[in-house]
Each structure stands twice: as structure tokens, then as C-alpha cells.
Amino acid sequence: MSRHRVAKKIKAFKFNPDTKFIIVHDQDSHNCKKLKSELLEICQNAGNKNILIRIICHELESWFLGDLVAVEKAYRLKPESLSQQQNKTKFRNPDQLNSAKEELRKLVPEYYPGTHSRMIAPYLSLTENKSRSFQVFLNGINKILN
């Protein structure tokens, strides 16, 4: 979503001060802190300070590589065909990968971003995922809810 659209959506919900926003954005090649700061400024200028912003390091696919069991289930692969690789160095800390998307495509050649992300997401473990940015995201949601 473009930054302009973020501000527009926030202004549309301005009438309800109890509305909470969670913005999730891929880091890609951005400076993580600068990107988060820019998004926060856009939101505050749009009139809402009740916002959680989380930056995925580096790509959403890092979250999927942090839970290879979920990938197996989504693609109906033989159990442990991928998950046995979870303890390899690169999958123990998938946020460190420069191109998680490419790593996922190596494991599952038919993976297509966007469409297939919706296939994997329902299977993600809320407790076993190795992605630190996924864990930080969940902690942020828990803070908002409590």
C-alpha cells in the first residue's frame, strides 16, 4: 500500500478514536528505522497515534521460512520433506536472508508471492516460528489487545 493510501485510510477511520491500526511493511532495501519513522509520521499527521508499525526483515517470506512445517502443510508435501531443514543455519534465523523469496522458491518452485502467501499463512505456528520479526509482530499484537 502506498504511503498516500495509508494516510487516506487512517483519515477515513478518524471518527472512531478506538480504532487501532497495524501496519506491516517489508523492509526490502529500506533502512528499517527510517522507514518505520516515516510511516509513523504519516500516521500521526493523518490524525491517529494509536498505531503499531512492524517492519518485516527483509521480506514476508522470512516468516514462511521460519515455519517450514506450515509450508509443507500448505503445499501438501510429504511430512518432514522441508521441515527437516528448519535447523539449518539459514532457516534458524530466516530474517538474515537477503532474498527469502528466492530461498522459498528454491524449496517450493511453484511458490508465487501474494496468491500463495494466503495458502501458507493459515498454517503458521504462533509459537514455533523461527523468524524474529514474526515474533516481534505477534508481541506487538498482544500488547494492543491487552
Side-chain angles (χ1 to χ4, degrees), residues 54-134:
R54 290 293 180 254
I55 308 300
I56 303 170
C57 301
H58 289 270
E59 301 171 320
L60 176 65
E61 286 78 9
S62 299
W63 291 6
F64 303 149
L65 293 175
D67 187 354
L68 292 176
V69 170
V71 177
E72 283 176 349
K73 289 177 182 177
Y75 286 93
R76 296 186 173 108
L77 301 174
K78 179 181 165 194
E80 298 187 20
S81 61
L82 291 182
S83 59
Q84 65 183 344
Q85 297 183 52
Q86 194 71 71
N87 288 323
K88 286 186 176 180
T89 303
K90 65 181 165 183
F91 300 125
R92 280 194 310 250
N93 190 358
D95 295 320
Q96 297 299 315
L97 294 168
N98 285 328
S99 183
K101 191 178 300 177
E102 289 306 313
E103 284 296 330
L104 187 55
R105 281 190 183 131
K106 288 177 190 175
L107 297 173
V108 185
E110 62 269 28
Y111 174 74
Y112 182 77
T115 308
H116 289 203
S117 297
R118 291 185 198 109
M119 289 172 45
I120 300 169
Y123 297 104
L124 288 175
S125 170
L126 301 182
T127 57
E128 303 297 320
N129 197 301
K130 304 290 184 201
S131 167
R132 176 77 178 122
S133 66
F134 183 74

Side-chain angles (χ1 to χ4, degrees), residues 5-43:
R5 288 180 55 202
V6 168
K8 189 174 179 180
K9 288 199 181 278
I10 289 171
K11 287 177 183 177
F13 283 91
K14 198 172 184 179
F15 66 89
N16 186 347
D18 295 329
T19 300
K20 295 176 173 87
F21 287 90
I22 299 174
I23 298 174
V24 179
H25 196 294
D26 280 357
Q27 178 183 352
D28 296 326
S29 61
H30 297 95
N31 173 301
C32 189
K33 290 180 181 181
K34 183 178 177 192
L35 175 61
K36 187 173 182 177
S37 177
E38 288 172 6
L39 288 169
L40 184 60
E41 184 179 345
I42 289 167
C43 295

